[in-house]
Amino acid sequence: MLELDTVTAGYDRRTPVFRGASLTVAPGESVGLLGPSGCGKSTLARVAALLHRPDAGRLVLDGTEVTAWRHRAPRELRTAVGVVFQQPRTAADPRLTLADLLVEPLRATGRRAEAAARLAELAPAVGLTPDLLGRRPHEVSDGQLQRACLGRALALRPRWLVCDEMTAMLDASTTAALVAAVETYREETGASLLAVGHDRLLLRRWCDRTVEWQDCLPAEERP
Amino acid sequence: MTAENVLRALKAVSAGRAEDAVLSVRDLSVRFRLRGGRTVEAVSDAGFDLGAGECLALVGESGCGKSVLASALLGLLPGNAETSGTALLAGPEGAAATDLLAADEKTLARTVRGRRVGLVPQSPAAHLTPVRTVRSQLEETVRALTGTSRRARRRAAEDAAGRAAFPAGHLDRYPHELSGGLAQRAATALALIGDARLLLADEPTTGLDRDLVDRTADELRRHADDGRALLLITHDLAAAERIADRVAVMYAGRIVEIAPAHRFFGPAGPRHPYARGLLDALPDRAFTPIPGMPPELSALPEGCAFAPRCPLATELCSTRPEFTADLACHHPEHPRA
Ligand SMILES: Nc1ncnc2c1ncn2[C@@H]1O[C@H](COP(=O)(O)OP(=O)(O)OP(=O)(O)O)[C@@H](O)[C@H]1O
Ligand code: SF4
Ligand SMILES: [Mg+2]
């Protein structure tokens, strides 16, 4: 269960991107958050993924309040969340092969020994062939790189997934393939999902329910 | 005239080009030579005509060669690229056509890019001049075109920004102060303010929400309606459906079908199995991906490149189907009832 309770966040305290946003995702549920360009969805996604500390309000993950961290959220919480962003080119370390990229979170958390076995599960799950796994980001297309970024997000078997415009720069077939990979993972693990974007058709088809951005905000803050 | 140019000219005549085409492309191929002797066949034998007032949408899987095709037309490919074929751009009012693939860099830089051919690039941030505000870049383009008065330039800049849904309050910002979506709109405004007869728009709506996608697409359409030709490269099939007259489908570097948009998106649907698969992947249709992945452009199979993923493939498909009558497939599907 993820609960954002009257959260205010931004990059400069005097002019927050949004004030008082609330949103709940039940265990195993998938929620699509829809909003116009530049409304603050991505900032909210970063808060939900514990990558950005809110200025006010509460963030509760499975009953534990996790708002009180200072520079970085505690590791055991961070690793419970998997995140995929819109731009795989900026999200992926250009020096790593796709294989290294996939298991990077395992190495970073001292679980190097599990890497090979996990890679063997992840690569087919996200549709990457051995040939592609050996290449670096500049040698693959955006779609192939985004498959790797999704694999990396699943590497630590998160209970909770945040996808921010994961498929915005992809063609229809690659989009459907990545969504199918997320859904297979969720069926196997019961993980919850917050998918953020502005493609209404896609999020309605993909998620259990969709929420309009303005409905997350208190009446006086609605645009 | 070199022997090669004569050959090109002869080919052009025999290729049956449309007479009133703003752009007429034949046999366009691009090869990238990689270290270790490998070759990427990024675009192969592409051909199409684009008339005044017409919008052609170019669609296909990520990495299939769409952007390389657009870059080839503008002479913007890196040094390891080899280009062949012809791409005739109609001359201004009766003047001779220019073969974009044969033109030298000086001609391209002075008279083609931004003047006779406009571009909305796929990564606009990299295309805008970093040290100048959006307003000054817009006004500079107007000055270069018409040399109008300062007031008129200012108005033209604000007008173009408005048409591209670029907020006037951001005109005095530098490119690095813009979000991805804003940079996208600034690049669109720059293309709209120009007077190029041919506009190449490469993913002009990525990262925009549906309202802005529709607005931008409609503005591009209006721009074409004024007698210009528009090549719209896009993953957004809804945007293509909204404004395109015809749709060209690219797979593994080849155009495999060109269809009128109303048939492509209508009940009859496209005839190429790949094009059908792409439409069936849409969330308001079956939402099922095409199985497998596109082939490596450096290791293409002999026959039809779609064969490993095609539900209709037979032995025949191990020889490559010719592109005839706007289609390259041995077993095209018949229009759906
Ligand atoms: N400089 C280069 N050297 C080698 N290969 C290249 C180069 N530039 C592009 N390619 C390859 O050419 C192919 C076509 O790339 P292109 O950028 O045209 O794809 P696209 O269809 O526009 O994809 P997207 O939909 O993701 O924008 C890809 O396989 C790409 O890896
Ligand atoms: S030529 Fe054969 S393999 Fe290729 S698309 Fe047509 S039926 Fe499928
Ligand atoms: Mg491209």
Side-chain angles (χ1 to χ4, degrees):
Chain A
M1 172 93 151
L2 174 100
E3 226 186 311
L4 286 140
D5 180 13
T6 50
V7 166
T8 295
Y11 303 90
D12 142 22
R13 264 182 179 276
R14 275 170 305 169
T15 47
V17 176
F18 57 83
R19 279 180 229 267
S22 299
L23 177 75
T24 309
V25 184
E29 191 187 25
S30 57
V31 173
L33 177 60
L34 284 161
S37 293
C39 71
K41 302 183 297 295
S42 293
T43 307
L44 184 126
R46 292 178 60 80
V47 170
L50 308 180
L51 293 171
H52 189 95
R53 194 163 62 101
D55 295 328
R58 292 182 337 130
L59 177 64
V60 184
L61 194 58
D62 292 333
T64 315
E65 178 161 348
V66 293
T67 326
W69 44 280
R70 280 182 157 270
H71 301 293
R72 268 183 119 183
R75 174 182 280 181
E76 66 280 9
L77 287 171
R78 266 188 291 128
T79 58
V81 189
V83 205
V84 192
F85 297 107
Q86 174 174 352
Q87 275 297 342
R89 300 268 156 218
T90 47
D93 184 337
R95 294 162 302 179
L96 296 181
T97 62
L98 299 202
D100 289 335
L101 212 71
L102 279 182
V103 295
E104 185 194 39
L106 285 164
R107 288 173 205 270
T109 50
R111 292 159 62 184
R112 195 177 284 261
E114 297 164 51
R118 189 70 185 121
L119 182 62
E121 294 168 347
L122 281 173
V126 296
L128 288 175
T129 57
D131 166 49
L132 288 167
L133 288 173
R135 299 204 216 166
R136 283 170 227 281
H138 70 272
E139 298 166 322
V140 301
S141 72
D142 283 351
Q144 290 159 346
L145 191 56
Q146 192 65 306
R147 286 173 192 267
C149 289
L150 173 59
R152 179 178 57 179
L154 302 180
L156 297 175
R157 294 197 177 79
R159 302 195 300 275
W160 166 242
L161 270 175
V162 177
C163 298
D164 183 8
E165 297 274 16
M166 176 175 76
T167 61
M169 69 320 159
L170 302 178
D171 60 276
S173 178
T174 309
T175 296
L178 283 177
V179 168
V182 168
E183 287 310 297
T184 306
Y185 173 78
R186 294 206 320 115
E187 268 158 39
E188 285 165 11
T189 58
S192 328
L193 167 73
L194 176 66
V196 171
H198 35 60
D199 189 336
R200 206 160 245 110
L201 282 173
L202 173 69
L203 292 187
R204 289 217 172 120
R205 181 78 187 249
W206 177 4
C207 300
D208 297 331
R209 66 186 172 97
T210 54
V211 177
E212 297 291 333
W213 171 251
Q214 71 263 20
D215 295 333
C216 297
L217 301 178
E220 67 276 14
E221 294 289 339
R222 285 183 195 167
Chain B
M1 225 183 184
T2 64
E4 202 185 342
N5 282 351
V6 174
L7 211 70
R8 274 181 201 270
L10 280 176
K11 256 198 191 156
V13 173
S14 64
R17 295 179 195 264
E19 254 174 50
D20 58 345
V22 172
L23 176 71
S24 178
V25 176
R26 292 293 178 276
D27 306 314
L28 168 56
S29 296
V30 179
R31 302 283 175 265
F32 291 107
R33 305 272 169 224
L34 300 183
R35 270 168 300 144
R38 280 197 309 147
T39 302
V40 176
E41 302 182 42
V43 179
S44 298
D45 306 326
F48 58 88
D49 287 326
L50 194 49
E54 198 188 19
C55 169
L56 175 69
L58 181 62
V59 305
E61 222 145 330
S62 178
C64 74
K66 305 181 296 292
S67 296
V68 169
L69 189 152
S71 301
L73 294 176
L74 287 167
L76 290 174
L77 290 169
N80 67 334
E82 285 167 22
T83 307
S84 59
T86 58
L88 295 186
L89 176 69
E93 276 155 59
T98 309
D99 183 352
L100 296 173
L101 305 183
D104 54 33
E105 174 55 29
K106 209 165 95 187
T107 311
L108 289 170
R110 284 203 191 153
T111 68
V112 174
R113 288 198 285 266
R115 306 203 172 213
R116 291 170 63 197
V117 185
L119 173 72
V120 183
Q122 187 167 14
S123 36
H127 192 78
L128 297 165
T129 311
V131 293
R132 297 177 50 200
T133 65
V134 175
R135 184 192 302 282
S136 100
Q137 296 187 46
L138 285 168
E139 289 186 3
E140 174 60 36
T141 310
V142 184
R143 174 166 35 225
L145 286 168
T146 56
T148 43
S149 76
R150 228 182 133 168
R151 270 237 321 277
R153 286 203 300 269
R154 196 178 163 91
R155 226 185 17 243
E158 285 172 4
D159 178 57
R163 287 163 67 201
F166 185 90
H170 288 53
L171 274 169
D172 294 308
R173 294 200 181 182
Y174 291 90
H176 71 266
E177 298 172 321
L178 304 175
S179 72
L182 284 171
Q184 186 71 60
R185 285 175 257 168
T188 303
L190 264 174
L192 288 177
I193 211 173
D195 197 30
R197 293 253 340 258
L198 172 64
L199 189 60
L200 310 177
D202 194 354
E203 302 287 359
T205 60
T206 313
L208 304 184
D209 61 55
R210 187 47 57 193
D211 288 348
L212 283 174
V213 168
D214 289 351
R215 265 182 78 173
T216 307
D218 290 350
E219 275 308 331
L220 289 170
R221 175 75 244 183
R222 222 161 288 152
H223 199 63
D225 285 340
D226 287 342
R228 302 184 181 90
L230 171 63
L231 181 67
L232 173 71
I233 299 177
T234 189
H235 285 312
D236 189 333
L237 295 172
E241 178 170 11
R242 190 175 175 95
I243 66 164
D245 301 300
R246 289 183 300 146
V247 182
V249 183
M250 204 164 174
Y251 188 77
R254 288 180 183 273
I255 293 179
V256 294
E257 180 168 7
I258 299 181
H262 63 86
R263 168 159 71 73
F264 190 90
F265 293 110
R271 301 193 62 198
H272 195 281
Y274 168 67
R276 293 218 165 199
L278 194 62
L279 281 178
D280 283 341
L282 285 172
D284 52 341
R285 301 198 183 198
F287 203 34
T288 27
I290 300 167
M293 293 236 262
E296 265 323 298
L297 297 182
S298 57
L300 286 174
E302 287 265 308
C304 173
F306 190 55
R309 308 170 75 186
C310 181
L312 303 181
T314 64
E315 264 165 49
L316 204 58
C317 305
S318 55
T319 51
R320 200 177 54 235
E322 286 293 321
F323 185 80
T324 46
D326 285 344
L327 189 64
C329 176
H330 290 301
H331 310 292
E333 300 206 43
H334 294 289
R336 287 184 236 226

